Amino acid sequence: MEQVADPANLNAAWQRVRENGGVPGIDGITIEAFLEDAKPRAEALRKELLEGSYRPSPLRRVTIPKPSGGERKLGVPTVQDRVVQQAILQVLQPILDPSFSEHSYGFRPGRSAHQAVAAAQEYIQQDYGWIVDLDLEAFFDRVSHDRLMSRLGQRIADKRLRWIIRRFLQAGVIEEGLRKPTTEGTPQGGPLSPILSNLVLDELDKELERRGLRFVRYADDANVYVRSERAAVQAFENLIGFIEGKLKLKVNRAKSAVARPWERKFLGFSFTPGKNAKRRIAPKSLAKAKQRIRELTKAGRFDFLTIMAKLKQYLIGWLGYYRFCQTPSVLKELEEWTRRRLRSLIWKQWKRGTTRFTELVKRGANRQEAAKLAGSSAGSWHISRTPLLHQIFPGGWFASHGLPQFHANL
């Protein structure tokens, strides 16, 4: 706790919380407001931590949409609680992380989702062509506090630190104006949740290693790779017994499966069939991207420049992740489809035939061809694929307006 409460550690924690931003907790104090009297409260905070008298506030419940549909519940701590959690994390990380499995990739320094996907690909290329895809139902809501604290107690001797972590776990949440107790789970939303979840699931990792199984885990997404369907079925049944019997967690049987790796998705990716498996974007991930692009390029919402700015912001993040695929033709097709969406949007925004004719001629179109296209009764989606509109709005034109290159660096 002396390390947690060290002024340099608390200051580093505050800087990280400030960089991460975020909304206020139940006290309504923003990061900017917290900054105004951070210094006067720093010594009081340090004293409370060392004396063991610090009491976290309840979490503010918010929900966000899940990529797979439905909603994910988050618990938003106050700014001060985030600072304390971050300070604890900075002390716990170098103690706990080195003991975690090399096959665990989620929320760990120097590790990433891309590394997890590459590790899965390597197993498939080594002819481990069957997968046990385990989905833990509402994992973050079901973690046993007693089991978690027991695991923590094996590593951390300082009772003050263990007690404050338990207080964070049991601080409760404010939902619809009512305070609800939290008797289990590690609520998502605070800095401590990821490392505590890894501590819980490290027990699963160690069991998989003991059984000699090849696996990849990223947070609560765990895939086990074996050579035959029979071995996969046997591993599936045995692991359900361990997870539900020993770890007291719940396996979602509807979402878990024994299958070929290319029939499932992992962290947004899938693989091409066979031993020479290549990384590809999972069909559902691609469909969601196209749906988002449709929403962003919907006519009538914003002017073209605003739409391009929003689209660029989305695509830079999406491509930064999915360019890791090894099927550039998919990205090339998506790029062409996106440009067609934008040509269709421009055609809709021009609205009248006279405007369309004027704009085409202004951009260098032959007057006769411009008149013919402007007078067409075809829909904008059909018009968007015509040679003239491709000539007027080539790929370079969209690049000059901020559209990223989808298949760059592949």
Side-chain angles (χ1 to χ4, degrees), residues 124 128-131 259-265 270-275 277 280 283:
I124 299 167
Y128 291 89
W130 285 89
I131 184 176
R260 293 292 203 175
W262 43 89
E263 296 171 344
R264 307 292 288 181
K265 69 181 181 70
S270 185
F271 304 93
T272 58
K275 286 182 63 175
R280 66 180 181 183

Side-chain angles (χ1 to χ4, degrees), residues 376-388:
S376 173
S377 60
S380 62
W381 186 242
H382 175 81
I383 295 292
S384 66
R385 66 184 297 182
T386 59
L388 181 56

